[in-house]
């Protein structure tokens, strides 16, 4: 299309600062996961509901990442955020690769944060102490909280851990882990607190009661 229509046509798509289109990958709890090319600035709502067919099974959107697990989590309140570099940054995250990961209202954020952090701990080359030690410890503490053995002091420890990992390693892999930790605590702190207070995942408890 660029060859046939020219670069000016392409620049007219998208926004003033983020021109053109982008291939977005959307996965997770959606009806039609896949790759969709849309103009930059298209709201997440359009990508989710029109392109990907909505949240799987008609459930409610809970959280999503704009650019893969290395970008800070956003919430259902951000569903109308335009998917361009400036708007996503203003919302508190990064567009990055455009790999949107969708969590619904049945997903446990603590469990999701642990799984993502486990990936970074596994992938760490071990060169930098903040990454090597920080991701390893973060995965352990998140696992303890997820399994119902969390303590009140774990939450400030996790917040400090995220702060001390961010921008303190040679590459950006550690920053991805820190982004997960900090954003999940920022938007879903009550869910972490419920894990500690109840000694189990509140979502598991809710589903067990519904089954009964």
């Amino acid at each position: 299309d660029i060859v046939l229509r020219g670069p000016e046509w392409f620049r007219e798509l998208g926004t003033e600062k983020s021109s053109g289109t982008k291939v977005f990958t959307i996965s997770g709890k959606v009806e039609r996961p896949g790759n969709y090319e849309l103009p930059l600035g298209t709201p997440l709502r359009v990508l989710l509901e029109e392109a990907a067919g909505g949240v799987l099974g008609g459930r409610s959107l809970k959280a999503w990442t704009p650019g893969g697990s290395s970008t800070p989590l956003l919430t259902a309140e951000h569903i109308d955020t335009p998917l361009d570099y400036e708007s996503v940054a203003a919302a508190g995250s990064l567009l990055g690769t455009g790999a949107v990961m969708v969590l619904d209202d049945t997903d446990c954020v603590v469990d999701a944060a642990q799984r993502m952090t486990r990936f970074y701990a596994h992938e760490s080359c071990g060169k930098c102490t903040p990454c090597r030690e920080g991701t390893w410890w973060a995965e352990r503490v998140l696992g303890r909280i997820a399994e119902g053995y969390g303590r009140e002091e774990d939450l400030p420890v996790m917040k400090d851990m995220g702060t001390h990992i961010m921008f303190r390693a040679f590459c950006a892999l550690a920053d991805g882990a820190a982004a997960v930790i900090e954003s999940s605590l920022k938007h879903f702190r009550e869910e972490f607190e419920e894990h500690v207070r109840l000694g189990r995942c509140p979502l598991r408890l809710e589903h067990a009661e519904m089954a009964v």
Side-chain angles (χ1 to χ4, degrees), residues 61-137:
L61 174 66
K62 181 175 184 175
W64 57 286
T65 66
S69 65
S70 63
T71 57
L73 286 167
L74 294 177
T75 71
E77 295 180 359
H78 301 99
I79 191 172
D80 291 309
T81 300
L83 295 175
D84 60 69
Y85 297 98
E86 294 74 32
S87 299
V88 173
S93 189
L94 299 166
L95 185 59
T97 60
V100 177
M101 299 166 59
V102 174
L103 281 67
D104 70 13
D105 56 350
T106 67
D107 287 315
C108 171
V109 169
V110 179
D111 181 61
Q114 184 201 8
R115 288 171 181 267
M116 294 180 192
T117 305
R118 182 188 303 154
F119 165 79
Y120 291 104
H122 179 270
E123 293 300 311
S124 175
C125 74
K127 175 180 179 178
C128 307
T129 302
C131 179
R132 181 185 67 245
E133 301 298 322
T135 56
W136 187 82
W137 277 107

Side-chain angles (χ1 to χ4, degrees), residues 151-190:
R151 303 172 298 207
E152 289 186 9
E153 57 267 30
D154 286 338
L155 302 188
V157 166
M158 288 304 303
K159 182 172 176 55
D160 287 345
M161 200 175 295
T163 301
H164 291 300
I165 294 174
M166 183 70 81
F167 305 136
R168 285 173 168 79
F170 184 76
C171 78
L173 186 136
D175 299 341
V180 171
I181 296 167
E182 292 187 339
S183 62
S184 60
L185 281 170
K186 175 183 177 182
H187 296 301
F188 299 97
R189 187 179 182 89
E190 290 183 1

